């Protein structure tokens, strides 16, 4: 079975500050990991994904995440927050025989203060 | 490309009514899924399909039916709506196992 835990349902940062959204996963098979962003009243958009290979993954809008197998983590970071980053962020895992199924975390709402 | 299209965008139902949420994709994706989103619970998988004629249950299938007669369409049927089914529903598609999922804009359903 697979599961995802996102630490912190709400994170608030100041504009220009570091963004760190935490994601830990559990998987009995090699995981495929994803971060999605959801802006108000919209669907989910892929930020970045880890499949195999390089453990530091770069995504859109200046976000990146590092896959750490020993820590079962896939934390999302951005060096400098922008007001437009305010949204809800979801970490998800798939793998093995899960097919097209994604297992999502609970989500983290990011607020950016001016 | 339209991507994944969901209709309607908003719907209000009375308890006991039935309805079908429509989902269509024009990317020739084999995999399609339905999720529901509730506050603090992320997205939970309702049903999914790995190809036309093949469907399976996800985490929260009770009260919902699906069928997949074509590659493009994956409708979700609510048999007898209940207030607990008030939620935002998302349809997604992907090319295959463990690949990126593309999401529709969602259907906001309220059952009164």
């Amino acid at each position: 079975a697979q599961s995802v835990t996102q630490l912190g349902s709400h994170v608030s940062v100041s504009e220009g500050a570091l963004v760190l959204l935490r994601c830990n996963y559990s998987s009995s098979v090699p995981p495929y990991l994803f971060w999605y962003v959801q802006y108000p009243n919209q669907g989910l958009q892929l930020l970045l994904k880890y499949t195999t290979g390089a453990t530091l993954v770069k995504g859109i809008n200046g976000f990146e995440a590092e896959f750490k197998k020993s820590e079962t983590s896939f934390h999302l970071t951005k060096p400098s927050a922008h007001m437009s980053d305010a949204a809800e962020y979801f970490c998800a895992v798939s793998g093995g025989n899960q097919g097209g199924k994604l297992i999502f975390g609970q989500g983290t709402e990011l607020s950016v203060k001016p | 490309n339209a991507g994944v299209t969901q209709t309607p965008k908003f719907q209000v139902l009375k308890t006991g009514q039935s309805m079908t949420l429509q989902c269509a994709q024009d990317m020739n994706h084999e995999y399609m899924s339905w999720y529901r989103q509730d506050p603090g619970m992320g997205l939970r998988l309702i049903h999914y399909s790995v190809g036309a004629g093949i469907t399976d249950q996800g985490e929260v299938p009770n009260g919902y039916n699906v069928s997949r007669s074509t590659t493009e369409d994956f409708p979700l049927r609510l048999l007898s709506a209940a207030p607990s089914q008030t939620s935002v529903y998302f349809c997604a598609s992907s090319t295959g196992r463990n690949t990126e999922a593309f999401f529709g804009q969602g259907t906001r359903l309220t059952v009164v």
Side-chain angles (χ1 to χ4, degrees):
Chain A
Q2 296 178 308
S3 66
V4 173
T5 301
Q6 291 183 238
L7 298 178
S9 59
H10 188 266
V11 171
S12 182
V13 301
S14 297
E15 192 172 21
L18 171 71
V19 175
L20 171 60
L21 304 183
R22 300 178 186 273
C23 171
N24 287 90
Y25 69 92
S26 172
S27 180
S28 58
V29 296
Y32 292 74
L33 294 157
F34 305 83
W35 275 100
Y36 285 86
V37 61
Q38 184 182 34
Y39 299 102
N41 300 313
Q42 294 190 24
L44 278 72
Q45 177 185 1
L46 183 72
L47 272 179
L48 50 79
K49 61 183 177 184
Y50 168 79
T51 54
T52 58
T55 57
L56 182 62
V57 180
K58 296 186 183 298
I60 62 172
N61 301 338
F63 284 94
E64 62 182 37
E66 186 170 10
F67 170 61
K68 293 187 176 181
K69 183 178 179 180
S70 61
E71 299 178 8
T72 61
S73 69
F74 191 56
H75 302 330
L76 182 70
T77 60
K78 181 174 181 178
S80 177
H82 192 272
M83 296 296 290
S84 61
D85 294 326
E88 188 153 23
Y89 292 80
F90 293 94
C91 182
V93 65
S94 70
N97 293 324
Q98 296 299 311
K101 296 190 293 184
L102 287 170
I103 306 301
F104 283 88
Q106 304 92 321
T108 298
E109 184 177 356
L110 175 67
S111 300
V112 182
K113 299 175 291 186
Chain B
N1 278 347
V4 179
T5 302
Q6 292 183 236
T7 56
K9 288 186 169 50
F10 301 94
Q11 183 70 49
V12 178
L13 287 180
K14 294 182 178 179
T15 297
Q17 287 185 315
S18 63
M19 80 160 294
T20 299
L21 307 185
Q22 301 292 344
C23 176
Q25 53 92 7
D26 62 359
M27 298 175 283
N28 202 32
H29 286 173
E30 288 297 318
Y31 288 66
M32 296 187 74
S33 307
W34 276 102
Y35 295 86
R36 59 177 288 173
Q37 182 180 19
D38 301 291
M41 303 187 74
L43 280 78
R44 293 180 292 168
L45 183 66
I46 305 171
H47 285 286
Y48 68 101
S49 170
V50 299
I54 306 170
T55 64
D56 204 349
Q57 296 181 351
E59 181 184 356
V60 288
N62 292 340
Y64 308 95
N65 272 359
V66 293
S67 60
R68 182 101 180 266
S69 56
T70 67
T71 298
E72 294 78 20
D73 300 299
F74 192 43
L76 178 72
R77 283 182 289 276
L78 280 71
L79 308 174
S80 176
S84 60
Q85 294 178 304
T86 292
S87 186
V88 181
Y89 292 83
F90 287 99
C91 179
S93 73
S94 60
T95 56
R97 183 180 297 178
N98 302 317
T99 59
E100 171 191 356
F102 293 81
F103 285 81
Q105 293 295 297
T107 295
R108 187 174 296 273
L109 175 69
T110 301
V111 182
V112 298

